[in-house]
């Protein structure tokens, strides 16, 4: 069976390349479009005051990439500011963008999930009273970490570094979607976001996915896939080894 990777385009390409190196038949079918913010001024203002924050949390690789795309020339990451990451993909992106490894706070490598809750396990021992925290995200997102930090006395603000929307499928991607609808049993869908499932429903209204398999990287995403009608839903950690092992279990 072919694995369809539905992450945004940049991450989907990376995943497909890594999966193919492991012998997995994989292809990219990005289901979330990532676009620059319509108003870049708040991001530029955030860069100007970056050193005032004890923690800058990036919700995804896209948040990091789009935020750094507006970095003023020559400005280095402040040594006293932590860069928060929910998982290894975001951490790799931050490191590639020049954030020192010592400044990156991330979940433990063996965390059951890569998310805000796992990141908090690495942050909760710090004193957050009076600390300024900035969360870099799209136009919306989960507020769990913000609420948790505020409960510990931190002042939390948000900045929109990118906007999400419907994907702009090219001819090859549109054909992949048509083939998946025609033969749902021939593909496995890899979902790393509940939003990607909503976009799939919009792109293929009324599609019957009872014969299809979904591989979800978080319990919330798995539940959303079941609600969308996927006949078989598997859960695994969002790591290459875990995804390959899960696929081998159903081969």
């Amino acid at each position: 069976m072919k694995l369809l990777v539905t992450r945004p385009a940049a991450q989907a390409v990376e995943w497909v390349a890594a999966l193919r190196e492991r012998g997995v038949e994989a292809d990219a079918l990005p289901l979330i479009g990532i676009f620059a913010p319509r108003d870049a001024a708040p991001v530029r203002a955030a860069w100007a005051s970056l050193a005032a924050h004890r923690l800058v949390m990036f919700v995804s690789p896209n948040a990091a990439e789009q935020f750094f795309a507006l970095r003023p020339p020559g400005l280095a990451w402040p040594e006293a500011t932590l860069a928060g990451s929910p998982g290894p993909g975001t951490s790799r992106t931050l490191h590639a963008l020049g954030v020192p490894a010592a400044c990156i706070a991330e979940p433990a490598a063996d965390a059951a999930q890569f998310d805000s809750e796992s990141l908090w396990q690495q942050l909760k021992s710090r004193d957050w009273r009076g600390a300024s925290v900035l969360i870099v995200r799209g136009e919306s997102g989960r507020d769990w970490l913000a609420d948790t930090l505020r409960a510990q006395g931190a002042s939390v603000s948000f900045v929109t570094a990118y906007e999400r929307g419907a994907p702009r499928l090219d001819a090859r991607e549109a054909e992949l979607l048509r083939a998946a609808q025609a033969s749902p049993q021939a593909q496995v869908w890899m979902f790393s976001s509940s939003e990607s499932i909503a976009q799939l429903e919009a792109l293929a209204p009324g599609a019957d996915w009872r014969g299809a398999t979904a591989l979800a990287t978080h319990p919330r995403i798995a539940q959303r896939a079941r609600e969308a009608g996927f006949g078989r839903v598997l859960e695994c950690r969002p790591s290459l080894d875990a995804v390959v092992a899960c696929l081998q279990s159903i081969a």
Side-chain angles (χ1 to χ4, degrees), residues 110-202:
D110 60 352
Q113 299 292 337
F114 294 130
D115 55 17
S116 295
E117 287 86 343
S118 294
L119 173 61
W120 176 245
Q121 298 306 308
Q122 308 302 310
L123 299 174
K124 65 181 182 181
S125 62
R126 299 172 182 266
D127 183 2
W128 293 101
R129 290 173 295 182
S132 177
V133 174
L134 177 67
I135 296 181
V136 183
R137 63 181 189 179
E139 37 309 29
S140 61
R142 293 180 67 222
D143 290 337
W144 184 89
L145 184 61
D147 292 342
T148 301
L149 284 161
R150 286 176 177 136
Q152 297 298 314
S155 173
V156 182
S157 58
F158 300 91
V159 65
T160 298
Y162 66 99
E163 297 181 10
R164 300 184 299 270
R168 297 166 182 169
L169 301 185
D170 60 23
R172 184 193 62 82
E173 294 162 348
E175 179 54 35
L176 282 174
L177 179 56
R178 284 192 291 269
Q181 290 179 261
S183 301
Q185 73 285 350
Q187 288 85 23
V188 176
W189 293 80
M190 178 181 167
F191 292 118
S192 303
S193 166
S194 296
E195 186 176 351
S196 62
I197 302 173
Q199 293 291 356
L200 176 61
E201 291 176 317

Side-chain angles (χ1 to χ4, degrees), residues 3 5 26 47 52 67 84 87 130 147 239:
L3 180 68
V5 181
W47 272 107
F67 186 80
D147 292 342
S239 71

